Amino acid sequence: MKFTRDATSAHGEPQHSVFIIKFDGKDYHAVGQTTGGTQAYRRIDDHTLECISKSPNGNALKQVMVLAKNGKSFVLTETGTYGNGKKANHYSYFERK
């Protein structure tokens, strides 16, 4: 699966990353990068994915995405430490419009 991420950093700088996602639990860099953070994805079941994001400074963030059975919403739970050192322990709810 191809995953494209466009975001804005905490400093207001645009960010663009492209990942080729393999659900094998192995660490991969963004396409075209050999340094920086990595992401490892694995499928837990038909509705649940896990991603471990590792930053170059050793911090790690675990994200678990659970898709509703009707496919119209999902919950993202994040635990661990962001690359900037801030702790994460929260969840977000997303709904398709």
Side-chain angles (χ1 to χ4, degrees):
M1 176 184 354
K2 184 178 180 181
F3 171 69
T4 302
R5 178 182 174 269
D6 290 302
T8 303
S9 75
H11 304 289
E13 301 163 345
Q15 297 176 327
H16 176 80
S17 303
V18 177
F19 288 87
I20 303 300
I21 297 173
K22 298 178 183 180
F23 296 98
D24 59 5
K26 296 179 182 177
D27 291 335
Y28 293 98
H29 290 283
V31 173
Q33 295 182 7
T34 57
T35 60
T38 61
Q39 292 186 335
Y41 285 86
R42 71 183 184 102
R43 186 179 307 275
I44 295 173
D45 60 34
D46 288 344
H47 298 279
T48 309
L49 303 175
E50 178 186 76
C51 173
I52 305 294
S53 298
K54 297 177 184 172
S55 64
N57 62 9
N59 293 337
L61 180 70
K62 178 180 177 181
Q63 299 171 307
V64 177
M65 296 155 265
V66 181
L67 179 66
K69 292 186 181 190
N70 65 10
K72 294 184 178 182
S73 65
F74 75 93
V75 173
L76 170 66
T77 303
E78 294 183 317
T79 55
T81 306
Y82 293 109
N84 63 7
K86 290 186 179 182
K87 296 289 183 186
N89 186 15
H90 64 273
Y91 72 93
S92 303
Y93 174 80
F94 298 86
E95 198 171 81
R96 186 187 308 195
K97 291 192 173 201

